[in-house]
Amino acid sequence: MGSGKCMTLLTLLAVLGMVMVDKVGSQNYGDALSKCILLFEGQRSGKLPSNQRMIWRKDSALRDGSDLGMDLLGGYYDAGDNVKFNFPMAFSTTMLAWSVIELGQFMGPDLQHALDSIRWGADYLLKSTDLPGKVTAAVGNPIADHNCWERPEDMDTPRTSYVVNQTHPGSEVSAETAAAIAASSLVFKSAQHRYSIQLVNRAKEVFEFADKFRGNYKDSVGQGVCPFYCDWGSYSYMDELIWGAAWLFKVTKEQKYRDYVQNNISNLPRRVIRLLNGELQAAKSFAEFGWDAKDAGINVLVSGLVMNSTSAEPYVRRQVRLQRLA
Ligand SMILES: *[C@@H]1O[C@H](CO)[C@@H](O)[C@H](O)[C@H]1NC(C)=O
Ligand SMILES: *[C@@H]1O[C@H](CO)[C@@H](O)[C@H](O)[C@H]1NC(C)=O
Ligand SMILES: CC(=O)N[C@H]1CO[C@H](CO)[C@@H](O)[C@@H]1O
């Protein structure tokens, strides 16, 4: 693929961008939220269903996973690129599921589309964890992919599969995948009971793998995910493990998951480390919530679970230094 085609696309987008800036004036948040859910259909990878609303999108990446003898069709492309990064994809699925659990009753006709989006993510995450002791971390060589901007229907860059396992673990991607699958099981609990049970059972297995074989996936699959979606820092996966346990407690009510949250929450690193302008920088994580920092999300989720309990509260605490007054 020559750079000429890429340049033309960029120019076209720049022009479109200028036209659009002109139109931003009305503030129809309902419409914006509907389009946020529609966006997930535009990002779909694999074989598209007949009720696909963005009809200019076609089937793509139909051999994903074949390099490892796996079926990894489906899921979502990351952003403007055609890589499937499982870590942020799982986090998006968790958040879609949490939104439907809390606010689905207010979503009107978009509820069904939101459910379809969760199912599209959950189905792929089930495939990603189909082999015991392995969790898919990404599909598509990111360097080759980022070097040329092609539409997924035409792409000819290597669709390498990156997988973590027992000797090359990845607790952040595995625990977030467990969280996403657990949260999705709650969404489908009454309408699709058997699917929901399948999801709960898988979430438990994946969480156990994440906890038992600890490590950062950047040390296992390296350039398959880094520097794009690395979770930097030592024990940077601890927040995903606690977040995963909190979701499993919400879904199963099993005491061992609550104990896990309670016993491990004080071990959370209090800083997130990021790559900013080519340099690693530390920031406080207490009030943050995003794909690589779960602290504030853990507190909101856990507060709903322990509201009426009298035992010690399993919250992430702001770091307070006690000083002895002279
Ligand atoms: C885990 O993955 C690594 C690297 O991909 C591979 O070399 C190793 O053999 C795998 N281990 C197991 C137990 O599958
Ligand atoms: C806490 O107690 C209130 C009042 O009895 C109840 O409505 C609410 O559902 C309880 N919350 C939880 C998380 O158990
Ligand atoms: C690292 C760590 O402290 N892990 C502990 C988390 O909590 C469980 C009990 O719920 C312990 O078994 C782990 O050792």
Side-chain angles (χ1 to χ4, degrees), residues 134 163 165 167-168:
K134 293 190 199 315
V163 173
N165 61 28
T167 58
H168 293 67

Side-chain angles (χ1 to χ4, degrees), residues 53-72:
R53 287 181 293 165
M54 283 190 181
I55 51 171
W56 45 268
R57 283 297 327 280
K58 305 290 176 211
D59 296 350
S60 63
L62 295 176
R63 289 179 46 75
D64 276 7
S66 59
D67 57 336
L68 296 182
M70 294 175 78
D71 168 8
L72 293 175

